[in-house]
Amino acid sequence: MGKINFKNYGSQKNWISGCYEDSNSLEKISVISPYFDKEIATVPDSNVVDLNLAVERSKLVFPHWSKVNIRDRAEVMFQLKSILEKNMEELAYLIALDNGKTIEDAKGSILRGKEVVEFATSLPSILSGDSSQVANGITCTLSYEPIGVVAGITPFNFPAMVPLWMIPLAITTGNCFILKPSEQTPLSALKIAEYLKEAGLPDDVFQVINGSREAVEGICDHPDIKAIAFVGSSKVAKIVYSRSTALGKRALCLGGAKNHMIVVPDADLDSTAKGLLASSMGSAGQRCMAASVAVGIANIDPIIQQLVKEANQFKLGVDMGTIVSKLAFDRINNYIDEAEKMGADILIDGRNVMPPKDYENGYWLGVTILDNVDPSWPCAQEEIFGPVLTIIRTATLEQAMQIENDNIYGNAAAVFTTSGEIAKTISENASAGMIGVNIGVPVPREPYSFGGWNESKYGHGDITGKSGIQFWTNLKKVTARWPETEEPWKKYF
Ligand code: NAD
């Protein structure tokens, strides 16, 4: 296990104009490390005065940054990529300390964020635009223009990766970006601000406003913030989406999930058991791509037995970190208690596990597998966001498909089978934006975009890939006609 030593980072500030700046607010939020159940920092609970300052400064620099050649803007991303690689240990430690991930898991999340940084380095080619002669003597040119001052609001579970889904595309396309990171896990976002400065990003192109509800509502309401990307729970995603679009802003709000893995008896035993486990337990189940429901068709007992065998080898602190907070820990325990009362078979119980040495006060929950769950129970319908795999048994493929389709969310779905026909049927009929065939965590690699359907997303398009570029830009079309003389070049000679 990568060692996570306790450290207190003291009173953190906002990041304005390329340096740390005190907030106007006297309210502070305590940041607790889930490894130690102890405060590791405080961040200001910023107010609209803080936000107004950040927007004011960003507005002043936008006319200049938006006119910087895109190759020079992309150069910042080339630099950021090497800075992330060079500082991988430092950033991974901060993510682990405030979020509870293992160091390995934290590094994996940085690599996924870095993919978007790499994609952003290719924007000079991708955004070369289009131009053609649309009629005799008339040309049409299309270009991608930045929008202005834009903002991102991010969740606790991927404190560096989710900001890195947004920042590279938003600023390389020429916008100025204000980030409101999760107040539970703010440390790595502030570090990214330092990295961006080191990468050569001019001051005021990127600002960080710490805080909670007031800062978020301020972002939704501020007339000079033109577009908002949000990632978090569906409840808040819906609020942010309606509040900001009501004011005419562009918004893309990614929400929660309840992803299903449909398991067919013909699936490969070993890789399916591993796939189910990795998907449901990775990041201690605290990820929107966690497939937390396995829908087994007919007799999948050998696969479940193998799954239990694999799960029993899982080591806390090595294969899985902690739960983010005491509140989340209690919520997950309640789901398990309730499922037990309703009659679920608990194949593995992660409650009351032995914490790893040196982290006795951490919020530890072990692998939990609930079998023979009814599709109507809360543990089968709601987002638990913890290391709990719910197994539902069905007789037919149609029933399994129906269970997947009936769920209100639609982030991801997966099928484990050796039958091409079944894989095709499920891929075509699952009501989700990201589908895995024999892959439990079907996160598309760049340039394929990330985003779900249904109650897992409010707004159009996806957050990364070409879709992300479209979100952060306006299309401009110039149609030009120049007066034609018979031989226009002759007048010059
Ligand atoms: P959250 O909704 O509680 O918080 C997200 C952001 O919203 C934070 O910055 C927080 O400060 C702010 N916020 C919280 N309550 C608010 C309120 N009442 N008014 C205004 N702002 C508020 O989410 P979380 O617990 O940090 O993250 C976990 C959730 O995020 C899960 O539901 C998970 O599925 C989802 N998530 C989704 C994706 C995706 O791609 N769809 C990715 C990661 C996480």
Side-chain angles (χ1 to χ4, degrees):
M1 167 177 189
K3 186 86 181 141
I4 295 146
N5 294 315
F6 179 82
K7 184 168 171 194
N8 193 321
Y9 284 81
S11 183
Q12 297 289 301
K13 302 181 179 186
N14 291 331
W15 179 268
I16 309 278
S17 305
C19 58
Y20 287 110
E21 191 149 318
D22 281 322
S23 161
N24 247 281
S25 161
L26 297 175
E27 302 296 321
K28 289 198 181 296
I29 304 171
S30 181
V31 182
I32 306 289
S33 172
Y35 272 102
F36 303 100
D37 183 34
K38 253 165 86 174
E39 183 174 289
I40 44 164
T42 62
V43 284
D45 198 0
S46 302
N47 56 26
V48 284
V49 180
D50 298 316
L51 181 68
N52 290 347
L53 176 73
V55 177
E56 205 60 29
R57 303 268 177 92
S58 297
K59 260 179 74 184
L60 287 175
V61 85
F62 174 70
H64 307 290
W65 176 243
S66 57
K67 294 286 180 278
V68 168
N69 186 293
I70 187 149
R71 288 185 186 282
D72 294 331
R73 295 199 302 248
E75 177 58 26
V76 175
M77 292 300 125
F78 277 108
Q79 297 303 325
L80 179 63
K81 170 180 151 57
S82 1
I83 293 168
L84 286 171
E85 285 161 357
K86 195 174 72 193
N87 296 291
M88 184 78 77
E89 293 293 334
E90 176 188 48
L91 195 59
Y93 166 75
L94 292 175
I95 295 170
L97 184 67
D98 66 11
N99 171 283
K101 286 185 194 299
T102 62
I103 294 283
E104 282 314 304
D105 197 10
K107 282 184 187 165
S109 73
I110 300 169
L111 293 177
R112 301 317 293 254
K114 190 167 72 78
E115 272 185 33
V116 185
V117 176
E118 286 160 1
F119 178 56
T121 62
S122 63
L123 289 196
S125 314
I126 293 173
L127 297 190
S128 55
D130 293 318
S131 181
S132 65
Q133 195 168 48
V134 290
N136 278 347
I138 299 183
T139 50
C140 224
T141 0
L142 176 143
S143 59
Y144 296 81
E145 304 294 326
I147 310 171
V149 180
V150 299
I153 301 158
T154 53
F156 80 80
N157 67 326
F158 284 97
M161 183 189 84
V162 173
L164 287 174
W165 283 351
M166 303 173 182
I167 302 163
L169 299 183
I171 65 178
T172 311
T173 50
N175 300 288
C176 293
F177 189 90
I178 297 175
L179 175 67
K180 205 303 281 172
S182 167
E183 64 277 34
Q184 295 185 84
T185 55
L187 297 180
S188 46
L190 290 167
K191 192 49 79 180
I192 289 173
E194 293 178 22
Y195 295 164
L196 280 164
K197 187 176 171 104
E198 188 185 336
L201 189 72
D203 294 348
D204 290 320
V205 175
F206 178 73
Q207 331 263 20
V208 181
I209 291 290
N210 287 293
S212 56
R213 188 170 173 165
E214 183 174 347
V216 172
E217 291 179 350
I219 288 172
C220 295
D221 296 345
H222 200 297
D224 292 325
I225 295 180
K226 302 296 179 196
I228 300 174
F230 171 93
V231 178
S233 61
S234 290
K235 182 177 144 237
V236 185
K238 207 186 263 183
I239 296 170
V240 169
Y241 185 77
S242 5
R243 192 160 174 152
S244 51
T245 54
L247 294 171
K249 291 178 202 291
R250 186 177 301 181
L252 178 60
C253 300
L254 274 57
K258 190 79 178 171
N259 306 316
H260 294 69
M261 295 180 282
I262 296 176
V263 186
V264 184
D266 69 1
D268 178 71
L269 188 80
D270 266 353
S271 61
T272 302
K274 285 193 171 71
L276 294 176
L277 194 63
S279 177
S280 52
M281 303 300 155
S283 299
Q286 300 168 106
R287 58 180 171 186
C288 66
M289 290 301 280
S292 51
V293 182
V295 188
I297 301 171
N299 183 5
I300 59 154
D301 286 347
I303 295 172
I304 300 301
Q305 281 153 15
Q306 179 68 15
L307 166 71
V308 170
K309 200 168 134 196
E310 296 268 351
N312 278 324
Q313 324 274 316
F314 237 60
K315 284 199 181 62
L316 275 191
V318 177
D319 299 305
M320 195 161 89
T322 70
I323 302 304
V324 70
S325 65
K326 180 72 173 58
L327 198 70
F329 177 84
D330 291 341
R331 188 197 64 233
I332 301 162
N333 271 294
N334 284 340
Y335 271 108
I336 306 171
D337 294 346
E338 187 185 40
E340 185 175 36
K341 277 191 207 127
M342 294 182 100
D345 295 329
I346 304 190
L347 303 185
I348 302 186
D349 192 344
R351 291 169 294 183
N352 306 312
V353 281
M354 176 84 83
K357 188 173 164 305
D358 298 333
Y359 306 102
E360 286 76 10
N361 294 328
Y363 313 135
W364 298 100
L365 249 172
V367 171
T368 300
I369 302 182
L370 309 172
D371 199 359
N372 292 312
V373 166
D374 189 274
S376 67
W377 296 353
C379 66
Q381 300 223 333
E382 295 166 17
E383 184 178 43
I384 301 177
F385 226 52
V388 182
L389 175 65
T390 295
I391 303 172
I392 300 173
R393 308 287 189 140
T394 65
T396 65
L397 183 63
E398 287 70 28
Q399 284 168 348
M401 206 63 265
Q402 198 59 50
I403 291 167
E404 193 285 331
N405 282 185
D406 285 348
N407 192 263
I408 58 165
Y409 297 105
N411 221 35
V415 55
F416 287 88
T417 181
T418 46
S419 154
E421 195 186 343
I422 294 178
K424 186 168 175 287
T425 304
I426 289 176
S427 305
E428 285 174 359
N429 294 297
S431 182
M434 295 172 276
I435 310 292
V437 174
N438 297 315
I439 290 180
V441 188
V443 176
R445 310 294 294 247
E446 292 303 301
Y448 297 96
S449 55
F450 188 99
W453 289 5
N454 311 330
E455 301 274 326
S456 292
K457 189 179 72 188
Y458 302 90
H460 179 71
D462 283 348
I463 198 144
T464 64
K466 288 188 183 161
S467 201
I469 299 170
Q470 277 159 6
F471 181 73
W472 298 115
T473 53
N474 280 326
L475 292 180
K476 180 177 271 184
K477 287 74 58 183
V478 177
T479 308
R481 182 196 347 242
W482 297 99
E484 276 191 78
T485 55
E486 218 167 293
E487 289 172 290
W489 51 272
K490 278 196 172 163
K491 68 179 175 203
Y492 295 109
F493 299 97

